[in-house]
Amino acid sequence: MKAWRSLHRGKGRRETGCFLAEGRRLVGEMLDWPGRTVAVLYADAAPATPPVRDLLDRAWRQGVRTEAVPAALIAALADAATPQPVVAIGEIPSYGWDDIGPGTIVLLDGVQDPGNVGTLVRTAVSLGAAGLVGVGDTADPWGPKALRASAGAALRGPVFRTDVADAVARLAEQDVPIWAAAADAPPLEHAPRGPVALALGSEAHGVSATLLAAAERLVSVPLARGVESLNVAAAGAILLDRLRDPT
């Protein structure tokens, strides 16, 4: 079980190529997902509840390994303060640039809070973004806190990490302009006529100098007098909605 616990750390996920998901909702999303769910662990008393029994039935039908363990072990594996009685391991999907179709691409640049990263993944998928790419020191979208905040949305869309230089070069090759969010930029009033990459930085530091230099345009959310900034997840949701094609 030490290997399972290691999946809470980025090093463990990189070494194994797997992630750990907690709770009925995430495990259910994994079983719906076309990727590979490796195993499901559940507290030995959990099958007495219909929702967990349904999940286990689905896992058995799909040939996924299931194993009953003491509830204390589930609690030890879980990252959440109040763990649910079921966890699962899945293989991290090998998304890349070739998986991104037409539409808005979200670039997260140094967004270190996993809750914000997960919320932005969920928002991007919900608002029809073509993909989400983390660069710089952005938190891993496959970490436990980010996965919970995304409600499993990372499983349904191209979500991956790379470096800034690769992102700038790939977007230039595809003629996709970068629009960077900046607090002192003109407000974004309407959607562009073609796909763009929306770069969002941390609330503390903003978008990095490299991406700002590569940006074709700087945009912002208009704020009331006296308000300096929004949380990056809130600002990203507003900007993504304004970038949507009205048709």
Side-chain angles (χ1 to χ4, degrees), residues 137-169:
D137 294 326
T138 292
D140 185 0
W142 302 102
K145 290 183 175 64
L147 273 173
R148 287 200 302 275
S150 76
L155 299 169
R156 301 194 293 275
V159 175
F160 60 95
R161 295 196 296 177
T162 186
D163 56 57
V164 176
D166 175 59
V168 170

mmCIF file of all heavy atoms in Angstrom, residues 137-169:
data_model
loop_
_atom_site.group_PDB
_atom_site.id
_atom_site.type_symbol
_atom_site.label_atom_id
_atom_site.label_comp_id
_atom_site.label_asym_id
_atom_site.label_seq_id
_atom_site.Cartn_x
_atom_site.Cartn_y
_atom_site.Cartn_z
ATOM 1 N N ASP A 137 5.454 26.440 -12.917
ATOM 2 C CA ASP A 137 5.255 25.741 -11.644
ATOM 3 C C ASP A 137 3.789 25.441 -11.358
ATOM 4 O O ASP A 137 3.378 25.330 -10.199
ATOM 5 C CB ASP A 137 5.828 26.571 -10.491
ATOM 6 C CG ASP A 137 7.341 26.713 -10.573
ATOM 7 O OD1 ASP A 137 7.986 25.755 -11.031
ATOM 8 O OD2 ASP A 137 7.862 27.777 -10.193
ATOM 9 N N THR A 138 2.989 25.317 -12.386
ATOM 10 C CA THR A 138 1.568 25.005 -12.195
ATOM 11 C C THR A 138 1.403 23.657 -11.501
ATOM 12 O O THR A 138 2.096 22.690 -11.811
ATOM 13 C CB THR A 138 0.849 25.002 -13.552
ATOM 14 O OG1 THR A 138 0.820 26.336 -14.052
ATOM 15 C CG2 THR A 138 -0.575 24.486 -13.435
ATOM 16 N N ALA A 139 0.471 23.595 -10.565
ATOM 17 C CA ALA A 139 0.217 22.359 -9.823
ATOM 18 C C ALA A 139 -0.252 21.250 -10.755
ATOM 19 O O ALA A 139 -0.909 21.497 -11.772
ATOM 20 C CB ALA A 139 -0.832 22.614 -8.737
ATOM 21 N N ASP A 140 0.082 20.040 -10.383
ATOM 22 C CA ASP A 140 -0.267 18.867 -11.182
ATOM 23 C C ASP A 140 -1.779 18.638 -11.161
ATOM 24 O O ASP A 140 -2.366 18.454 -10.097
ATOM 25 C CB ASP A 140 0.452 17.648 -10.597
ATOM 26 C CG ASP A 140 0.262 16.384 -11.418
ATOM 27 O OD1 ASP A 140 -0.427 16.432 -12.462
ATOM 28 O OD2 ASP A 140 0.818 15.345 -11.024
ATOM 29 N N PRO A 141 -2.439 18.637 -12.315
ATOM 30 C CA PRO A 141 -3.893 18.404 -12.333
ATOM 31 C C PRO A 141 -4.282 17.000 -11.897
ATOM 32 O O PRO A 141 -5.466 16.730 -11.667
ATOM 33 C CB PRO A 141 -4.279 18.667 -13.795
ATOM 34 C CG PRO A 141 -3.023 18.488 -14.570
ATOM 35 C CD PRO A 141 -1.908 18.906 -13.669
ATOM 36 N N TRP A 142 -3.295 16.090 -11.789
ATOM 37 C CA TRP A 142 -3.583 14.716 -11.374
ATOM 38 C C TRP A 142 -3.301 14.479 -9.896
ATOM 39 O O TRP A 142 -3.404 13.356 -9.423
ATOM 40 C CB TRP A 142 -2.799 13.728 -12.244
ATOM 41 C CG TRP A 142 -3.143 13.915 -13.685
ATOM 42 C CD1 TRP A 142 -2.401 14.569 -14.636
ATOM 43 C CD2 TRP A 142 -4.349 13.515 -14.335
ATOM 44 N NE1 TRP A 142 -3.072 14.596 -15.826
ATOM 45 C CE2 TRP A 142 -4.264 13.957 -15.674
ATOM 46 C CE3 TRP A 142 -5.489 12.837 -13.915
ATOM 47 C CZ2 TRP A 142 -5.285 13.731 -16.595
ATOM 48 C CZ3 TRP A 142 -6.504 12.621 -14.833
ATOM 49 C CH2 TRP A 142 -6.388 13.051 -16.149
ATOM 50 N N GLY A 143 -2.957 15.543 -9.171
ATOM 51 C CA GLY A 143 -2.835 15.432 -7.727
ATOM 52 C C GLY A 143 -4.198 15.314 -7.074
ATOM 53 O O GLY A 143 -5.217 15.694 -7.652
ATOM 54 N N PRO A 144 -4.271 14.798 -5.853
ATOM 55 C CA PRO A 144 -5.575 14.521 -5.225
ATOM 56 C C PRO A 144 -6.446 15.754 -5.030
ATOM 57 O O PRO A 144 -7.651 15.712 -5.268
ATOM 58 C CB PRO A 144 -5.203 13.878 -3.881
ATOM 59 C CG PRO A 144 -3.775 14.246 -3.654
ATOM 60 C CD PRO A 144 -3.151 14.360 -4.996
ATOM 61 N N LYS A 145 -5.876 16.885 -4.592
ATOM 62 C CA LYS A 145 -6.695 18.090 -4.370
ATOM 63 C C LYS A 145 -7.207 18.646 -5.698
ATOM 64 O O LYS A 145 -8.367 19.072 -5.802
ATOM 65 C CB LYS A 145 -5.880 19.139 -3.626
ATOM 66 C CG LYS A 145 -5.586 18.786 -2.176
ATOM 67 C CD LYS A 145 -4.830 19.905 -1.476
ATOM 68 C CE LYS A 145 -4.642 19.590 0.011
ATOM 69 N NZ LYS A 145 -3.794 18.408 0.233
ATOM 70 N N ALA A 146 -6.356 18.665 -6.707
ATOM 71 C CA ALA A 146 -6.791 19.162 -8.017
ATOM 72 C C ALA A 146 -7.854 18.257 -8.610
ATOM 73 O O ALA A 146 -8.835 18.740 -9.199
ATOM 74 C CB ALA A 146 -5.597 19.274 -8.966
ATOM 75 N N LEU A 147 -7.702 16.950 -8.463
ATOM 76 C CA LEU A 147 -8.704 16.021 -8.995
ATOM 77 C C LEU A 147 -10.056 16.224 -8.326
ATOM 78 O O LEU A 147 -11.098 16.217 -8.988
ATOM 79 C CB LEU A 147 -8.239 14.571 -8.791
ATOM 80 C CG LEU A 147 -7.365 13.967 -9.876
ATOM 81 C CD1 LEU A 147 -6.867 12.595 -9.421
ATOM 82 C CD2 LEU A 147 -8.122 13.834 -11.185
ATOM 83 N N ARG A 148 -10.048 16.409 -7.001
ATOM 84 C CA ARG A 148 -11.322 16.634 -6.312
ATOM 85 C C ARG A 148 -11.961 17.924 -6.794
ATOM 86 O O ARG A 148 -13.170 17.986 -7.031
ATOM 87 C CB ARG A 148 -11.115 16.671 -4.792
ATOM 88 C CG ARG A 148 -10.847 15.329 -4.165
ATOM 89 C CD ARG A 148 -11.144 15.341 -2.675
ATOM 90 N NE ARG A 148 -10.362 16.343 -1.960
ATOM 91 C CZ ARG A 148 -9.123 16.172 -1.507
ATOM 92 N NH1 ARG A 148 -8.505 15.026 -1.730
ATOM 93 N NH2 ARG A 148 -8.505 17.121 -0.854
ATOM 94 N N ALA A 149 -11.163 18.987 -6.940
ATOM 95 C CA ALA A 149 -11.719 20.268 -7.381
ATOM 96 C C ALA A 149 -12.225 20.199 -8.813
ATOM 97 O O ALA A 149 -13.169 20.911 -9.181
ATOM 98 C CB ALA A 149 -10.662 21.365 -7.249
ATOM 99 N N SER A 150 -11.620 19.341 -9.628
ATOM 100 C CA SER A 150 -12.057 19.222 -11.024
ATOM 101 C C SER A 150 -13.273 18.327 -11.178
ATOM 102 O O SER A 150 -13.870 18.275 -12.263
ATOM 103 C CB SER A 150 -10.926 18.668 -11.896
ATOM 104 O OG SER A 150 -10.762 17.277 -11.716
ATOM 105 N N ALA A 151 -13.645 17.602 -10.112
ATOM 106 C CA ALA A 151 -14.769 16.659 -10.155
ATOM 107 C C ALA A 151 -14.606 15.645 -11.289
ATOM 108 O O ALA A 151 -15.589 15.222 -11.899
ATOM 109 C CB ALA A 151 -16.096 17.406 -10.280
ATOM 110 N N GLY A 152 -13.357 15.282 -11.586
ATOM 111 C CA GLY A 152 -13.101 14.282 -12.620
ATOM 112 C C GLY A 152 -13.049 14.825 -14.028
ATOM 113 O O GLY A 152 -12.886 14.068 -14.983
ATOM 114 N N ALA A 153 -13.184 16.161 -14.204
ATOM 115 C CA ALA A 153 -13.216 16.732 -15.555
ATOM 116 C C ALA A 153 -11.918 16.481 -16.314
ATOM 117 O O ALA A 153 -11.920 16.428 -17.555
ATOM 118 C CB ALA A 153 -13.502 18.229 -15.489
ATOM 119 N N ALA A 154 -10.804 16.329 -15.603
ATOM 120 C CA ALA A 154 -9.531 16.076 -16.278
ATOM 121 C C ALA A 154 -9.563 14.790 -17.091
ATOM 122 O O ALA A 154 -8.788 14.624 -18.045
ATOM 123 C CB ALA A 154 -8.396 16.014 -15.253
ATOM 124 N N LEU A 155 -10.461 13.883 -16.739
ATOM 125 C CA LEU A 155 -10.582 12.624 -17.463
ATOM 126 C C LEU A 155 -11.260 12.796 -18.812
ATOM 127 O O LEU A 155 -11.156 11.932 -19.680
ATOM 128 C CB LEU A 155 -11.380 11.614 -16.631
ATOM 129 C CG LEU A 155 -10.784 11.243 -15.276
ATOM 130 C CD1 LEU A 155 -11.805 10.471 -14.456
ATOM 131 C CD2 LEU A 155 -9.525 10.425 -15.465
ATOM 132 N N ARG A 156 -11.953 13.927 -18.993
ATOM 133 C CA ARG A 156 -12.789 14.082 -20.178
ATOM 134 C C ARG A 156 -12.213 15.023 -21.234
ATOM 135 O O ARG A 156 -12.861 15.256 -22.247
ATOM 136 C CB ARG A 156 -14.186 14.575 -19.764
ATOM 137 C CG ARG A 156 -14.899 13.648 -18.800
ATOM 138 C CD ARG A 156 -16.371 14.004 -18.692
ATOM 139 N NE ARG A 156 -16.595 15.296 -18.075
ATOM 140 C CZ ARG A 156 -16.665 15.508 -16.774
ATOM 141 N NH1 ARG A 156 -16.487 14.494 -15.942
ATOM 142 N NH2 ARG A 156 -16.897 16.716 -16.295
ATOM 143 N N GLY A 157 -11.052 15.556 -21.004
ATOM 144 C CA GLY A 157 -10.513 16.493 -21.983
ATOM 145 C C GLY A 157 -9.003 16.468 -22.009
ATOM 146 O O GLY A 157 -8.376 16.000 -21.056
ATOM 147 N N PRO A 158 -8.384 16.976 -23.073
ATOM 148 C CA PRO A 158 -6.919 17.020 -23.114
ATOM 149 C C PRO A 158 -6.374 17.944 -22.022
ATOM 150 O O PRO A 158 -6.562 19.163 -22.077
ATOM 151 C CB PRO A 158 -6.616 17.569 -24.511
ATOM 152 C CG PRO A 158 -7.849 17.352 -25.312
ATOM 153 C CD PRO A 158 -8.983 17.463 -24.328
ATOM 154 N N VAL A 159 -5.752 17.365 -21.014
ATOM 155 C CA VAL A 159 -5.156 18.106 -19.903
ATOM 156 C C VAL A 159 -3.753 17.552 -19.701
ATOM 157 O O VAL A 159 -3.583 16.350 -19.472
ATOM 158 C CB VAL A 159 -5.992 17.940 -18.608
ATOM 159 C CG1 VAL A 159 -5.303 18.618 -17.438
ATOM 160 C CG2 VAL A 159 -7.398 18.485 -18.796
ATOM 161 N N PHE A 160 -2.744 18.410 -19.797
ATOM 162 C CA PHE A 160 -1.375 17.933 -19.635
ATOM 163 C C PHE A 160 -0.470 19.096 -19.278
ATOM 164 O O PHE A 160 -0.884 20.256 -19.277
ATOM 165 C CB PHE A 160 -0.871 17.227 -20.896
ATOM 166 C CG PHE A 160 -0.852 18.077 -22.138
ATOM 167 C CD1 PHE A 160 0.296 18.745 -22.539
ATOM 168 C CD2 PHE A 160 -1.986 18.199 -22.931
ATOM 169 C CE1 PHE A 160 0.309 19.516 -23.681
ATOM 170 C CE2 PHE A 160 -1.979 18.968 -24.088
ATOM 171 C CZ PHE A 160 -0.826 19.632 -24.463
ATOM 172 N N ARG A 161 0.795 18.787 -18.974
ATOM 173 C CA ARG A 161 1.779 19.811 -18.634
ATOM 174 C C ARG A 161 2.957 19.754 -19.601
ATOM 175 O O ARG A 161 3.291 18.694 -20.129
ATOM 176 C CB ARG A 161 2.280 19.632 -17.204
ATOM 177 C CG ARG A 161 1.200 19.841 -16.155
ATOM 178 C CD ARG A 161 1.773 20.033 -14.769
ATOM 179 N NE ARG A 161 2.476 18.860 -14.293
ATOM 180 C CZ ARG A 161 3.120 18.801 -13.126
ATOM 181 N NH1 ARG A 161 3.147 19.860 -12.340
ATOM 182 N NH2 ARG A 161 3.719 17.700 -12.746
ATOM 183 N N THR A 162 3.576 20.910 -19.804
ATOM 184 C CA THR A 162 4.772 21.002 -20.628
ATOM 185 C C THR A 162 5.555 22.209 -20.136
ATOM 186 O O THR A 162 5.245 22.786 -19.089
ATOM 187 C CB THR A 162 4.406 21.101 -22.122
ATOM 188 O OG1 THR A 162 5.608 21.048 -22.903
ATOM 189 C CG2 THR A 162 3.661 22.376 -22.443
ATOM 190 N N ASP A 163 6.587 22.640 -20.901
ATOM 191 C CA ASP A 163 7.309 23.849 -20.503
ATOM 192 C C ASP A 163 6.864 25.028 -21.366
ATOM 193 O O ASP A 163 6.221 24.862 -22.402
ATOM 194 C CB ASP A 163 8.825 23.644 -20.569
ATOM 195 C CG ASP A 163 9.310 23.195 -21.932
ATOM 196 O OD1 ASP A 163 9.043 23.921 -22.916
ATOM 197 O OD2 ASP A 163 9.949 22.135 -22.029
ATOM 198 N N VAL A 164 7.228 26.215 -20.921
ATOM 199 C CA VAL A 164 6.777 27.427 -21.596
ATOM 200 C C VAL A 164 7.271 27.482 -23.033
ATOM 201 O O VAL A 164 6.513 27.829 -23.955
ATOM 202 C CB VAL A 164 7.232 28.679 -20.817
ATOM 203 C CG1 VAL A 164 6.857 29.945 -21.567
ATOM 204 C CG2 VAL A 164 6.608 28.704 -19.426
ATOM 205 N N ALA A 165 8.553 27.136 -23.245
ATOM 206 C CA ALA A 165 9.124 27.219 -24.594
ATOM 207 C C ALA A 165 8.378 26.322 -25.566
ATOM 208 O O ALA A 165 8.095 26.709 -26.706
ATOM 209 C CB ALA A 165 10.608 26.857 -24.557
ATOM 210 N N ASP A 166 8.025 25.105 -25.113
ATOM 211 C CA ASP A 166 7.290 24.186 -25.980
ATOM 212 C C ASP A 166 5.910 24.745 -26.306
ATOM 213 O O ASP A 166 5.460 24.688 -27.453
ATOM 214 C CB ASP A 166 7.161 22.819 -25.295
ATOM 215 C CG ASP A 166 6.300 21.846 -26.094
ATOM 216 O OD1 ASP A 166 6.654 21.566 -27.258
ATOM 217 O OD2 ASP A 166 5.278 21.390 -25.571
ATOM 218 N N ALA A 167 5.240 25.308 -25.300
ATOM 219 C CA ALA A 167 3.905 25.857 -25.529
ATOM 220 C C ALA A 167 3.945 27.007 -26.527
ATOM 221 O O ALA A 167 3.135 27.069 -27.460
ATOM 222 C CB ALA A 167 3.299 26.322 -24.209
ATOM 223 N N VAL A 168 4.893 27.912 -26.356
ATOM 224 C CA VAL A 168 4.994 29.054 -27.270
ATOM 225 C C VAL A 168 5.280 28.581 -28.687
ATOM 226 O O VAL A 168 4.662 29.045 -29.660
ATOM 227 C CB VAL A 168 6.076 30.035 -26.782
ATOM 228 C CG1 VAL A 168 6.363 31.099 -27.837
ATOM 229 C CG2 VAL A 168 5.653 30.690 -25.467
ATOM 230 N N ALA A 169 6.204 27.627 -28.824
ATOM 231 C CA ALA A 169 6.563 27.136 -30.163
ATOM 232 C C ALA A 169 5.401 26.408 -30.823
ATOM 233 O O ALA A 169 5.115 26.618 -32.012
ATOM 234 C CB ALA A 169 7.777 26.213 -30.056
#
